[in-house]
Amino acid sequence: MSLEDVPSSSDPYRLPRHMIPSRYDLRLEPDLAVASFSGEATIALTVKQTTKTIQLNAVDLVIESATIEGVKGQTFTASVELEPDTQRAKLTVGEPIPPGECRLHLSFHGKLNDQLRGFYRSTYKDATGARQSLAATQFEATDARRAFPCWDEPDFKAVFATTLVVDPRLTAVSNTSVIAESIENNKKVIRFAETINMSTYLVAFVVGQIEATPPRFVGRTPLRLWTVPGKHSLTSFGHDIAVASLTFFENYYGVPYPGDKLDLLAIPDFASGAMENLGAITFRETALLVDQQTGTHAELERIADVVAHENAHMWFGDLVTMAWWNGLWLNEAFATFMEMLAVDAWKPEWKRWDSFAVARAAAFSVDGLVSTRPIEYPVRAPKDADAMFDILTYEKGASVLRMLEQHIGSTAFRDGVRQYLRTHAYGNADTKDLWTALGTVARQPVPELMDGWIFQPGFPLVTAEVEGNHLRLLQQRFTYITETSTAGQLWQIPVQIRLSIGDRTEHRKLLLTERETSIRLPAGVTSVFVNEGGHGFYRVRHQGLLLQQLLDQGLECLAAIERFALISDAWATTMAGLTPLPEFLRLPTHFKNERNKNVWTVLLDSFSFLNRIVSSDDRAVLEAFVRGCVKPAFNELGWEPRSGESDLDRQLRGDLLGALGKLGNDAATQQEAAERYQRYRNDLTTVDPNIVPALVTILAHTGDQTRYDEFSERYRTATTPQEERRYLFSLATFRLPSAAKRTLERTINGEIRTQDAPFIVGALLSNVHSREQAWDFVKANWDQMDRLFPKQGLRRMCGGIVGLATPELEKDVRGFFTSRKIDLGGKTLDQYLEQLRVAVSFREREGGTVRAVLMNATE
Ligand code: BES
Ligand code: ZN
């Protein structure tokens, strides 16, 4: 081997490590008018091994020149070769570069694209109706390489010193404060302070006619919100939670905020919800801006969640970063967990941990598939990195953290987190590092406990039954479809049990590590609840007598989160064929007095599922069944809010109303909804905001062409992001085929933003009245959608196929994805297809008797 040969990595997607960048001096000059940019980068490098080649990432860039300045001042000019398949640039020099320090100078240019990734263009209409542009960035996971050539892997951390050269009428924001501003050649030249040592995916620039709120300070950190002109009245709520959560995190983490300022920017076109660029967090408008007077509880909670989540990342993700994308959960699960803690501390009355149960249940529904994956999972290609941003990383990850926190205690957990952050600040870490910190502080064998939850796919079903004077607990992997290969899996399960003995309660805590165990029951036990508090990431089957005792005793004896677990677990075992459908459908009668919106979410979701699998002949019977369940609860709440009611009750009213009018197809409710909607149009203050989404949904569901046109207009002229979104989604709710056709066309003709279009198609695929039409449209326009829509949007859109729950459609769906060789990254497509299989096999199993069962249950 000659001296200058560098072993190229066997993985074409990883860069060789013989050169390590430590600092980037970037100068970028975007031109909004022609949607292009030019740039220069000077990258300080440490050469570890003599070499003639430099490999770094670049894609869709033209590199005009590359020169290397060595230690002794000698300069090498490199030839440049781009490798589009691996998104790399290979620079080659004539003479070997010796080990030591050197500087790489690059000049390049590229386009401001419309794909909402890399350096891209977003557009909006100003107050006069004229179209305006701004430029923004979205680099995670692997798109910094589209804005400047770089070592675009999370463990190549470096310092960034950015200069933006812009039209003097525009404003520019980046990760740090502005340190100098001048005019050169009729351009505004803005220099930003150096960043901390950080990953490329966290770099950000936003350039446009954007306006900031006055700063509010958290300690010394100025915190501002930015919007396009005219939206300042929508910033106060986001600002409040931003200040509250930043304060909360500085206290919890015991480490000061790592940036020198914090800007939160609302971008009109944005692929995901928000992005945690250090000091310059970007958001889609619905995730940051809201009118507090007209926003619903769910809309306000969404903003609180997203803002708290991104702020949590300033430490978890930005200060300490996963070494590679297989460990993405360290970023996202933690940010999700911390989001709950912060929002719960800010608004305890929202009971955020209770509604987190809904997210946990969503994770169960994917993790119950044979095609699930472990939380930590190998990643090679960029597509696979993108596919890691899923429910398993976020919601399963956050759930197992919550389980661990409850198991070792919240103080030990917090102190372990502090130690982890202090140890790895400005660097990278992996799962083992986290267990080491938590285990040391808690003095408990954390890796042994947690490895099964992070490195194994799936989760356990715990079956609980009484045998004599013992309680027997048995674990097995939960799957919807029987699969023998999963039989041997075991977890270390922290189990909390509550025993009721008449009026007295006793608590038991144990770690179930074997397949089964049993504990002795004290004399006179009247009921047993397994998974007390509902924190465990497992489902429970209370068998026979145990279930009967809980029901006899009355469900009001359980906490809301426990009632949620009971019904959610019962529904899951029904879908898996372990509980007969009639038995499940008897349960809603026990929830007659239920006033918890999360518990109702499970019930309503189970009805929606049935709606997707019943034949159209049976739909009327299902509707009657839904009315029978929902009406008593809704009548009891009434149409009007009562004094002293909580935000959660108001939300529940909206949820029940929507279900009654749409799934229940209740004529009287539809009539009254139309009247109230008219009143609302005349005077927005006459109706509680929380029922407005339901009114709009019901009116769309029952609407004709005139109403479609009216709602289209309301979408176009909406004054808040939430109102715009509400009317946009209503366009996917009409039952008229002509309306569905029109909405589908608008998803690809530019009338609907590409940030939203895939979700609208997804909604049409899930709507039983439009699903076939939508599916035909997707097949016919796949290539165009693939080109137009942001990648993650396209992936989410495909999630809509799980609603195509007939044997014929299922076959067609499989055929399409196979013949077109479509890869959605990771295991995404396999999971959607298996969810569809689960739904269709449920239909095949229960479809014949569901009518009789529903009629029986209605009586
Ligand atoms: N890091 C993500 C943003 C992201 C998502 C980048 C997908 C690349 C691909 C950000 O922190 C995030 O998680 N955003 C969530 C919202 C959050 C409240 C769960 C989102 O965008 O949905
Ligand atoms: Zn996140």
Side-chain angles (χ1 to χ4, degrees):
M1 185 167 104
S2 71
L3 251 183
E4 63 267 26
D5 277 344
V6 169
S8 67
S9 153
S10 61
D11 182 345
Y13 296 107
R14 296 303 293 268
L15 295 171
R17 264 135 228 272
H18 64 291
M19 271 197 188
I20 312 286
S22 57
R23 179 189 168 98
Y24 293 71
D25 284 277
L26 297 173
R27 184 184 166 98
L28 283 143
E29 188 166 343
D31 184 339
L32 299 188
V34 298
S36 70
F37 64 93
S38 60
E40 273 172 54
T42 300
I43 309 173
L45 295 165
T46 306
V47 182
K48 299 257 169 131
Q49 193 182 329
T50 305
T51 181
K52 282 183 174 172
T53 60
I54 301 179
Q55 287 189 52
L56 71 170
N57 295 113
V59 63
D60 289 349
L61 290 176
V62 176
I63 300 181
E64 293 144 20
S65 74
T67 56
I68 294 124
E69 209 184 305
V71 231
K72 296 176 198 118
Q74 73 276 51
T75 321
F76 313 87
T77 301
S79 65
V80 181
E81 210 182 311
L82 292 174
E83 297 172 355
D85 288 349
T86 53
Q87 306 187 344
R88 289 192 295 200
K90 196 168 160 191
L91 313 181
T92 312
V93 285
E95 276 173 69
I97 311 167
E101 306 299 311
C102 75
R103 284 149 65 86
L104 168 65
H105 300 285
L106 297 157
S107 334
F108 53 92
H109 63 262
K111 289 211 165 69
L112 292 174
N113 69 71
D114 294 318
Q115 296 179 338
L116 319 193
R117 60 171 170 177
F119 204 1
Y120 71 92
R121 184 173 65 162
S122 171
T123 59
Y124 61 95
K125 295 237 171 69
D126 67 16
T128 69
R131 200 172 118 113
Q132 299 288 347
S133 305
L134 59 84
T137 54
Q138 169 58 43
F139 290 168
E140 194 179 18
T142 59
D143 291 324
R145 62 189 70 171
R146 294 174 186 275
F148 57 92
C150 56
W151 275 257
D152 198 12
E153 297 180 14
D155 67 341
F156 283 116
K157 283 199 171 186
V159 168
F160 295 83
T162 301
T163 301
L164 292 172
V165 182
V166 305
D167 183 312
R169 286 164 302 185
L170 304 180
T171 305
V173 174
S174 186
N175 303 90
T176 49
S177 321
V178 174
I179 49 170
E181 202 178 293
S182 60
I183 299 285
E184 289 171 24
N185 303 325
N186 292 324
K187 291 276 186 159
K188 187 149 83 176
V189 179
I190 304 162
R191 276 182 54 210
F192 296 91
E194 287 177 4
T195 66
I196 61 166
N197 202 42
M198 67 178 201
S199 306
T200 47
Y201 78 87
L202 294 169
V203 175
F205 332 115
V206 180
V207 177
Q209 274 177 339
I210 47 174
E211 298 177 348
T213 62
R216 285 169 62 184
F217 284 83
V218 173
R220 279 203 230 131
T221 311
L223 205 162
R224 292 176 297 186
L225 266 62
W226 294 79
T227 69
V228 298
K231 302 210 171 180
H232 267 195
S233 61
L234 307 174
T235 54
S236 64
F237 183 81
H239 218 159
D240 288 347
I241 175 61
V243 168
S245 60
L246 201 69
T247 310
F248 177 87
F249 293 134
E250 285 204 317
N251 285 324
Y252 185 94
Y253 293 133
V255 174
Y257 168 67
D260 65 353
K261 58 90 180 170
L262 181 54
D263 288 317
L264 275 53
L265 303 106
I267 311 291
D269 296 279
F270 198 79
S272 64
M275 176 64 211
E276 69 268 26
N277 315 298
L278 182 69
I281 304 175
T282 42
F283 294 78
R284 73 164 57 201
E285 290 188 335
T286 48
L288 183 62
L289 306 178
V290 69
D291 170 30
Q292 247 182 106
Q293 258 56 58
T294 58
T296 67
H297 170 69
E299 289 161 352
L300 296 174
E301 188 183 73
R302 167 76 181 154
I303 288 174
D305 281 354
V306 181
V307 170
H309 176 103
E310 305 310 332
N311 276 354
H313 272 311
M314 298 298 111
W315 291 259
F316 248 101
D318 294 9
L319 180 63
V320 178
T321 312
M322 75 265 138
W324 180 243
W325 299 107
N326 64 335
L328 181 66
W329 83 280
L330 287 168
N331 276 11
E332 297 301 349
F334 247 96
T336 303
F337 172 84
M338 294 303 309
E339 156 200 338
M340 300 301 142
L341 278 188
V343 173
D344 190 45
W346 188 52
K347 299 267 186 202
E349 68 276 19
W350 285 2
K351 303 200 167 72
R352 193 62 189 84
W353 281 113
D354 275 6
S355 50
F356 179 67
V358 177
R360 184 190 292 109
F364 281 144
S365 72
V366 174
D367 210 27
L369 302 171
V370 177
S371 56
T372 186
R373 61 168 179 86
I375 289 180
E376 192 162 317
Y377 187 65
V379 169
R380 278 165 49 91
K383 213 182 196 112
D384 301 324
D386 293 341
M388 291 294 278
F389 293 83
D390 70 355
I391 219 160
L392 298 167
T393 294
Y394 282 75
E395 277 77 19
K396 180 179 180 183
S399 302
V400 301
L401 287 173
R402 177 66 167 171
M403 179 167 68
L404 176 63
E405 185 217 26
Q406 295 293 305
H407 183 66
I408 66 177
S410 54
T411 306
F413 187 87
R414 184 202 63 196
D415 291 347
V417 167
R418 290 179 174 181
Q419 172 153 330
Y420 169 86
L421 290 174
R422 277 196 305 269
T423 312
H424 303 285
Y426 309 105
N428 297 84
D430 58 26
T431 298
K432 170 175 70 9
D433 297 320
L434 179 65
W435 299 158
T436 304
L438 288 168
T440 311
V441 172
R443 296 169 207 252
Q444 291 206 40
V446 172
E448 288 77 353
L449 173 70
M450 292 307 288
D451 279 353
W453 300 98
I454 302 296
F455 297 109
Q456 288 193 106
F459 66 89
L461 170 68
V462 173
T463 302
E465 57 196 346
V466 177
E467 264 183 7
N469 56 0
H470 279 75
L471 175 70
R472 180 165 168 263
L473 299 174
L474 177 97
Q475 62 160 308
Q476 76 199 84
R477 180 165 162 190
F478 177 96
T479 51
Y480 294 102
I481 292 172
T482 318
E483 238 270 28
T484 44
S485 67
T486 63
Q489 261 177 259
L490 292 180
W491 286 263
Q492 297 204 359
I493 314 175
V495 183
Q496 297 201 35
I497 302 168
R498 186 178 50 244
L499 307 171
S500 303
I501 306 133
D503 303 339
R504 210 160 50 76
T505 53
E506 285 183 22
H507 309 271
R508 298 277 191 280
K509 260 185 152 179
L510 61 95
L511 196 63
L512 176 58
T513 56
E514 305 298 320
R515 174 152 315 281
E516 67 171 282
T517 192
S518 68
I519 61 168
R520 210 187 148 78
L521 290 171
V525 168
T526 42
S527 76
V528 175
F529 189 83
V530 179
N531 197 10
E532 180 182 19
H535 308 293
F537 195 75
Y538 55 92
R539 290 198 181 276
V540 181
R541 194 156 41 145
H542 291 94
Q543 289 284 60
L545 175 67
L546 287 177
L547 180 63
Q548 203 49 53
Q549 284 178 332
L550 289 170
L551 295 176
D552 290 348
Q553 177 190 33
L555 291 176
E556 60 286 355
C557 298
L558 301 179
I561 198 170
E562 295 169 350
R563 298 197 299 278
F564 178 97
L566 186 82
I567 186 85
S568 175
D569 293 352
W571 175 237
T573 53
T574 305
M575 283 183 66
L578 298 170
T579 301
L581 182 62
E583 195 176 303
F584 174 78
L585 289 177
R586 271 199 295 278
L587 288 176
T589 56
H590 294 276
F591 288 90
K592 268 204 311 284
N593 301 316
E594 183 60 58
R595 290 295 167 272
N596 181 276
K597 77 174 173 67
N598 307 314
V599 176
W600 270 107
T601 299
V602 187
L603 291 166
L604 299 180
D605 283 354
S606 71
F607 303 159
S608 300
F609 177 87
L610 292 175
N611 188 42
R612 287 197 292 274
I613 64 102
V614 294
S615 67
S616 38
D617 300 340
D618 292 346
R619 185 148 295 124
V621 181
L622 176 64
E623 287 168 354
F625 172 77
V626 172
R627 288 195 295 273
C629 290
V630 177
K631 230 178 190 162
F634 180 73
N635 286 345
E636 166 96 20
L637 274 177
W639 283 84
E640 310 275 349
R642 309 206 179 136
S643 65
E645 235 182 30
S646 71
D647 292 348
L648 303 182
D649 292 336
R650 296 181 175 210
Q651 187 66 46
L652 174 63
R653 175 180 294 110
D655 294 350
L656 294 179
L657 174 60
L660 203 50
K662 198 176 154 213
L663 261 183
N665 208 15
D666 183 52
T669 303
Q670 292 167 350
Q671 178 70 35
E672 171 111 27
E675 284 159 24
R676 291 196 182 243
Y677 180 76
Q678 274 324 316
R679 240 181 286 164
Y680 161 76
R681 288 307 331 165
N682 296 333
D683 177 357
L684 300 188
T685 62
T686 54
V687 166
D688 176 51
N690 289 291
I691 68 163
V692 173
L695 296 182
V696 171
T697 300
I698 294 170
L699 268 83
H701 180 70
T702 53
D704 57 8
Q705 190 59 44
T706 314
R707 193 170 289 152
Y708 182 85
D709 295 337
E710 180 196 336
F711 281 15
S712 298
E713 189 57 17
R714 299 224 177 280
Y715 161 56
R716 216 178 52 78
T717 56
T719 56
T720 70
Q722 288 70 26
E723 190 187 22
E724 178 178 339
R725 180 176 186 279
R726 196 175 295 152
Y727 284 109
L728 171 58
F729 276 84
S730 82
L731 303 181
T733 310
F734 284 78
R735 278 179 293 184
L736 291 181
S738 60
K741 177 164 183 283
R742 183 81 189 89
T743 305
L744 285 164
E745 280 162 7
R746 298 163 93 174
T747 63
I748 55 171
N749 71 2
E751 281 183 70
I752 298 175
R753 290 179 189 276
T754 59
Q755 67 165 11
D756 299 320
F759 296 93
I760 295 297
V761 179
L764 286 157
L765 284 168
S766 314
N767 175 342
V768 293
H769 304 288
S770 56
R771 61 186 171 190
E772 302 197 23
Q773 212 179 331
W775 173 237
D776 286 338
F777 188 84
V778 168
K779 283 189 291 183
N781 297 285
W782 177 265
D783 292 330
Q784 200 177 346
M785 291 178 167
D786 190 23
R787 212 167 342 106
L788 232 45
F789 296 168
K791 296 291 157 255
Q792 61 206 10
L794 190 81
R795 200 167 50 240
R796 295 284 288 278
M797 174 186 93
C798 292
I801 64 170
V802 309
L804 300 171
T806 72
E808 302 73 34
L809 283 169
E810 184 195 9
K811 190 155 172 273
D812 193 48
V813 166
R814 282 183 184 277
F816 176 77
F817 284 100
T818 315
S819 68
R820 301 292 296 260
K821 298 195 170 60
I822 291 164
D823 176 7
L824 298 175
K827 307 193 84 168
T828 312
L829 184 59
D830 289 345
Q831 291 167 356
Y832 292 156
L833 291 173
E834 187 180 341
Q835 281 177 307
L836 177 57
R837 183 86 281 277
V838 170
V840 174
S841 62
F842 187 98
R843 183 187 189 116
E844 288 164 345
R845 191 170 70 232
E846 315 277 1
T849 54
V850 71
R851 180 188 187 93
V853 171
L854 285 168
M855 287 174 75
N856 237 321
T858 311
E859 273 152 22

